[in-house]
Structures are given as structure tokens and as C-alpha cells.
């Protein structure tokens, strides 16, 4: 049984039975049988149905927003995820014809030589709870457009999301067997992967979860896309716009209660602007309102589960014991407790502290003073993770040169915490492997097939 415990009040918000292994294998067989017919449809037809499904999700948004608050705690004032959801799906639909086009080598009287891109067959998408619509659509839309069938296994914290997506896409003409929302336990999921049920598996989640997917897939040659943990840094150079840097980096650290794959978890500031940056960062956080996410005045809701908040509390307490200074007064956030976690800014931090090395995934950020670019790069690279890095400076050329030295998947200049669907969403080190969205996303969701045809 999948159970969603609402972080608002600890009540059971939704329960769903999981499929048995036999039932899950039956669903796989149905998807595989239906996929060939789906792939045979004209590309324009598949695109139109996916776009109609996306529009159907938009029509549900008034109901979806409070559902998300109940399931994972994001305040209703932010209006849900449809803006980013629609942007990503629309972009991928727009580039599909070019991204999936044949690569012609020769078409003469003697030979036709061409490389085609063909679907893997059945794609399993294992989606997370923190941005449950946007993370799912990253793969669902291009996988369906490319001619794959898709099985979506959503996180137990957000079980209604997969149901909403299935309802929307089925109403748009995507066959039920081609896009299936399934509730699976971990063992059944691993068993299906080990049995070569899927041509490709996309997983967004923890490092340990990604390792479990790799173990299940070992020896099967199943393609994998893994976006795992992060400890994304920001660097503010001496010539940066301090106000803009503080506004964006602190929002990147605190929005969604810090529960963002590419959230800012550590900030390095040049000593010349350090004091001004810290002062502005503190004033921003002091203006937040922690509370019930159904209240439109709330700017910071609860974390998805109390145990997630307890991890951040432990990291913060350990850092303070080791000499860090906590700058935010707890009296400003009286609701702190359980899943409700007050935001915190830490200074006098070092990389000996867990809060600067291990993923926090919560509303806490450490700020360190640095003397120059070399010191900042060394600290940014002193991490097991590599998803994004944010540089703040008026010198674009210097930022790009710094970006070349940073071990990361995306380099931002004067912005943070944004996924551009035209660029490959990827990571390095323990953040994972593969890449989503962009032309490269289509390449990962298909395989090349070569035709060497000698004409009679």
C-alpha cells in the first residue's frame, strides 16, 4: 500500500494499493503490445496528442494546486507548476521534428545510407515528489513524442500526480496502455528492471535510490538516466550586483522549503562584498512567513516529511556546535516543529561540517567568505555532487572561464535554480548520469539505427 501522509497536519491524505509482480508484468506486456501502434502514428499526431494532454493538465490547475499543498507542502500562493510544466513540454514538442529527423548520408542511384532514431520501446519514469509535475514531464513528453510507451511510477508522497497526468493524457487520445500510471513497491520495481522489462529507465531521487536502480539493471544493458543528489554552490564576485545576487541565491536556497534538486545549498562571497551580502540575505529571510501552505499569506510551507526536517535540524545543530553562527532568530518563526522547519542562514562555516558537504534539501544555507576566484573554485569543486553552479559578476567572459573549471552539469551567470529546456539537464559525480530535455534528451530516449541499402 502506498500512503501519503500530509505534512500539513500528519493526517493520511491518500492511499493506493500497489501492483503485485504478476499484475505489474501484465501491465508491461500491455504497454509493449501497444507501443508499436503508437510509434507507427505520424509524429505530428503524437505531438498533437501530447500537447493536448499538457493543456488538459493546465485546465486542472485550480484543483492541482491545493492537492500539492496537501501532498508535499508547497504554499498555494505560488500557483503550482504549470508554467514550467508547459514551457518544457512545449519546447520539446517544438524541436521534435528536427531532433528526431533522419541523418542522411547518401541517397544516390547506388546507395541509400541513413541513420534513423527509433524509440527504445517502453520507458519507465520514476518521478520525485518535490516538483512532481515538472520533473515527470521532462521525460514523459519527449518519450511519448518519440514513440515510446511510458510507465510512470510516482513518489508515494505525491500519488495523485500520476493519476492526474494519466487522466489528462488519456483524454487527449494517448491510449491507456501507452501511458500508464502505476503504483509499485521498491522490490517489484527492481524485479521488473532486472527482468529487462524496459528499454530505458529515468530516475530522479536520492543517490542511494540511483544506486539501487543501477544494481537492478546490472547486466541487462538497460539505458539509464539518473538525476540524484546535489549540493549546488553560488559564488558572488567582488563586482557582483549584491542586491540581485542575494535576492536570487536566497530564493534559490529557500523556495519550496529548500526542497529543490538545483537549490542553492552553499554560498561563497568575495570578502569585499561579504558583509553587505550577508546583511541583505538575513533581511530577506526575516521577511518569510512559515505556516500552513493552504494560507495564501504563507511563503514557506512545511517540508514533505518530519524526518527530512529533522535531518536539517541535526546538520544545523552540529554546525553550530562546531563554531558556525546561526543568524536567523527562532522567535520570528514560532511554528517551527515537526515538518515545519524555520529557515536558517549559517556563517563561520567550514567544509568540515556536514551542512556544507552533505545534501540538506531543506531551508538552510551556509555562507563562506573567500579571497579570490581560485579559492571559490576550489571550494565549489570540493563536493561529491555536480548539478548546477551559480556565478555572480559583471564580467561574462570571466564567468565562463570560471565555469570551465567548475565540476558541474550547468553553469549559471547572474541567475540560479532554473531549468532551460533548450539546454541539456545533466549532472556529474554523484549527481548522476545522462541528460534530459534539449535535443540530447531525445537522443537518450531513442537509439540510433543505421540503414546501408544497396540499390539493385
Amino acid at each position: 500500500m502506498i500512503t501519503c501522509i500530509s505534512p500539513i497536519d500528519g493526517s493520511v491524505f491518500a492511499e493506493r494499493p500497489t501492483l503485485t509482480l504478476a499484475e505489474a508484468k501484465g501491465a508491461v506486456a500491455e504497454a509493449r503490445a501497444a507501443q508499436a501502434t503508437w510509434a507507427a502514428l505520424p509524429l505530428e499526431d503524437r505531438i498533437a496528442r501530447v500537447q493536448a494532454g499538457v493543456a488538459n493538465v493546465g485546465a486542472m490547475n485550480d484543483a492541482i494546486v491545493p492537492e500539492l499543498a496537501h501532498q508535499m507542502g508547497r504554499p498555494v500562493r505560488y500557483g503550482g507548476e504549470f508554467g514550467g510544466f508547459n514551457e518544457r513540454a512545449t519546447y520539446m514538442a517544438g524541436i521534435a521534428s528536427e531532433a528526431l529527423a533522419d541523418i542522411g548520408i547518401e541517397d544516390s542511384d547506388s546507395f541509400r545510407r541513413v541513420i534513423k532514431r527509433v524509440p527504445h520501446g517502453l520507458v519507465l519514469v520514476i518521478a520525485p515528489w518535490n516538483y512532481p509535475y515538472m520533473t515527470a514531464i521532462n521525460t514523459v513528453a519527449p518519450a511519448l513524442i518519440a514513440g515510446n510507451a511510458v510507465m510512470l511510477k510516482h513518489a508515494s508522497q505525491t500519488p495523485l500526480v500520476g493519476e492526474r497526468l494519466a487522466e489528462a493524457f488519456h483524454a487527449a487520445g494517448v491510449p491507456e496502455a501507452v501511458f500508464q500510471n502505476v503504483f509499485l513497491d521498491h522490490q517489484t520495481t527492481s524485479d521488473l528492471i532486472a527482468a529487462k522489462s524496459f528499454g530505458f529507465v529515468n530516475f530522479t531521487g536520492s543517490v542511494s535510490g540511483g544506486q539501487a536502480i543501477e544494481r537492478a539493471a546490472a547486466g541487462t544493458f538497460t539505458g539509464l538516466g539518473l538525476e540524484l543528489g546535489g549540493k549546488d554552490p553560488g559564488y558572488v564576485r567582488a563586482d557582483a550586483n549584491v542586491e540581485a545576487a542575494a535576492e536570487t541565491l536566497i530564493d534559490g536556497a529557500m523556495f519550496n522549503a529548500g526542497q529543490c534538486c538545483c537549490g542553492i545549498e552553499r554560498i561563497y562571497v568575495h570578502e569585499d562584498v561579504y558583509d553587505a551580502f550577508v546583511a541583505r540575505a538575513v533581511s530577506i529571510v526575516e521577511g518569510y512567513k512559515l505556516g500552513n501552505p493552504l494560507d495564501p499569506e504563507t511563503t514557506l510551507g512545511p517540508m514533505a516529511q518530519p524526518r527530512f526536517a529533522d535531518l536539517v535540524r541535526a546538520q544545523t545543530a552540529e554546525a553550530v556546535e562546531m563554531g558556525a553562527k546561526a543568524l536567523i532568530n527562532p522567535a520570528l518563526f514560532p511554528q517551527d516543529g515537526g515538518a515545519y522547519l524555520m529557515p536558517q542562514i549559517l556563517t563561520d562555516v567550514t567544509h568540515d561540517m556536514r551542512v556544507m558537504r552533505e545534501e540538506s534539501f531543506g531551508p538552510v544555507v551556509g555562507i563562506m567568505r573567500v579571497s579570490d576566484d581560485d579559492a571559490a573554485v576550489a571550494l565549489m569543486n570540493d563536493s561529491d555532487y555536480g548539478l548546477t553552479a551559480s556565478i555572480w559578476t559583471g564580467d561574462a567572459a570571466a564567468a565562463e572561464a570560471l565555469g570551465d573549471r567548475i565540476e558541474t552539469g550547468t553553469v549559471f551567470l547572474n541567475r540560479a535554480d532554473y531549468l532551460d529546456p533548450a539546454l541539456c539537464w545533466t549532472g556529474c559525480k554523484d549527481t548522476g548520469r545522462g541528460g534530459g530535455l534539449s535535443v540530447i534528451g531525445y537522443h537518450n530516449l531513442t537509439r540510433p539505427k543505421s540503414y546501408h541499402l544497396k540499390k539493385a
Side-chain angles (χ1 to χ4, degrees):
M1 182 70 70
I2 297 294
T3 302
C4 169
I5 304 297
S6 175
I8 293 177
D9 56 11
S11 64
V12 174
F13 183 68
E15 290 184 311
R16 297 292 186 272
T18 55
L19 298 181
T20 66
L21 181 57
E23 290 169 337
K25 287 182 175 179
V28 166
E30 290 179 4
R32 284 179 161 180
Q35 182 268 328
T37 301
W38 173 253
L41 292 174
L43 175 60
E44 295 76 14
D45 191 352
R46 297 197 301 270
I47 291 172
R49 297 189 196 198
V50 168
Q51 288 181 309
V54 170
N56 287 343
V57 173
M60 301 174 178
N61 200 54
D62 287 347
I64 284 173
V65 169
E67 281 181 357
L68 285 176
H70 280 288
Q71 290 175 95
M72 49 74 66
R74 187 184 306 124
V76 296
R77 69 178 291 139
Y78 298 116
E81 301 174 27
F82 185 69
F85 177 92
N86 184 56
E87 177 189 22
R88 298 174 188 190
T90 299
Y91 181 82
M92 295 305 285
I95 67 167
S97 296
E98 181 179 357
L100 297 170
D102 296 346
I103 302 172
I105 308 300
E106 178 184 358
D107 193 3
S108 67
D109 292 340
S110 301
F111 290 95
R112 171 167 161 76
R113 294 183 295 145
V114 64
I115 303 168
K116 298 185 180 183
R117 301 218 65 90
V118 299
H120 288 300
L122 177 57
V123 172
L124 174 65
V125 179
I126 306 175
W129 50 263
N130 62 322
Y131 283 91
Y133 283 92
M134 290 197 291
T135 52
I137 203 64
N138 290 351
T139 307
V140 168
L144 288 172
I145 289 172
N148 296 286
V150 172
M151 294 185 74
L152 173 62
K153 175 193 178 301
H154 227 298
S156 59
Q157 194 67 42
T158 46
L160 274 61
V161 174
E163 293 179 339
R164 286 284 187 184
L165 291 174
E167 177 187 354
F169 281 89
H170 296 162
V174 178
E176 292 186 10
V178 169
F179 179 43
Q180 299 183 45
N181 175 60
V182 292
F183 298 105
L184 306 173
D185 61 30
H186 295 321
Q187 187 59 54
T188 300
T189 304
S190 294
D191 289 345
L192 290 177
I193 294 171
K196 300 185 179 182
S197 301
F198 310 105
F200 190 85
V201 176
N202 189 89
F203 171 80
T204 305
S206 67
V207 173
S208 61
Q211 291 169 337
I213 298 294
E214 281 202 329
R215 285 193 294 269
T220 68
F221 307 115
T222 301
L224 299 178
L226 305 173
E227 187 204 316
L228 310 176
K231 195 72 181 173
D232 290 8
Y235 171 40
V236 183
R237 297 181 86 221
D239 67 338
N241 180 326
V242 172
E243 174 74 18
E247 291 279 353
T248 301
L249 290 175
I250 294 304
D251 181 67
M254 303 296 173
F255 187 79
N256 208 38
Q259 299 167 128
C260 179
C261 304
C262 57
I264 297 296
E265 296 215 359
R266 50 200 174 103
I267 301 173
Y268 307 99
V269 183
H270 191 276
E271 56 193 9
D272 290 353
V273 293
Y274 176 84
D275 290 339
F277 180 90
V278 170
R280 180 62 186 129
V282 169
S283 70
I284 292 168
V285 172
E286 287 177 341
Y288 291 160
K289 179 181 178 182
L290 174 66
N292 189 320
L294 297 172
D295 180 351
E297 297 301 313
T298 294
T299 57
L300 195 69
M303 296 187 70
Q305 296 182 18
R307 66 185 179 93
F308 300 156
D310 288 342
L311 170 64
V312 181
R313 289 187 179 101
Q315 289 181 343
T316 302
E318 289 175 19
V320 171
E321 288 176 5
M322 295 174 69
K325 183 178 180 181
L327 302 185
I328 305 302
N329 185 350
L332 297 173
F333 298 95
Q335 193 165 344
D336 183 76
Y340 291 85
L341 177 62
M342 66 166 285
Q344 189 55 269
I345 292 174
L346 300 173
T347 55
D348 296 337
V349 288
T350 71
H351 277 215
D352 293 326
M353 301 171 183
R354 280 203 301 158
V355 76
M356 294 298 285
R357 299 191 61 84
E358 297 181 8
E359 186 171 35
S360 300
F361 219 61
V364 62
V365 66
I367 304 176
M368 288 183 67
R369 186 193 311 261
V370 294
S371 58
D372 55 30
D373 290 346
D374 289 342
V377 169
L379 288 166
M380 285 191 280
N381 286 341
D382 183 26
S383 174
D384 292 333
Y385 303 104
L387 184 57
T388 79
S390 176
I391 302 170
W392 290 78
T393 176
D395 188 337
E400 187 166 347
L402 285 173
D404 291 341
R405 298 167 59 192
I406 301 170
E407 298 161 353
T408 190
T410 295
V411 177
F412 290 115
L413 171 61
N414 298 330
R415 74 178 312 172
D417 192 19
Y418 172 70
L419 192 158
D420 181 345
L423 299 176
C424 183
W425 191 243
T426 186
C428 61
K429 301 193 281 191
D430 283 359
T431 290
R433 58 182 296 183
L437 297 173
S438 76
V439 171
I440 291 171
Y442 273 117
H443 289 182
N444 285 334
L445 290 166
T446 55
R447 65 177 180 87
K449 185 175 183 179
S450 296
Y451 290 75
H452 193 137
L453 308 176
K454 182 179 181 180
K455 298 178 180 179

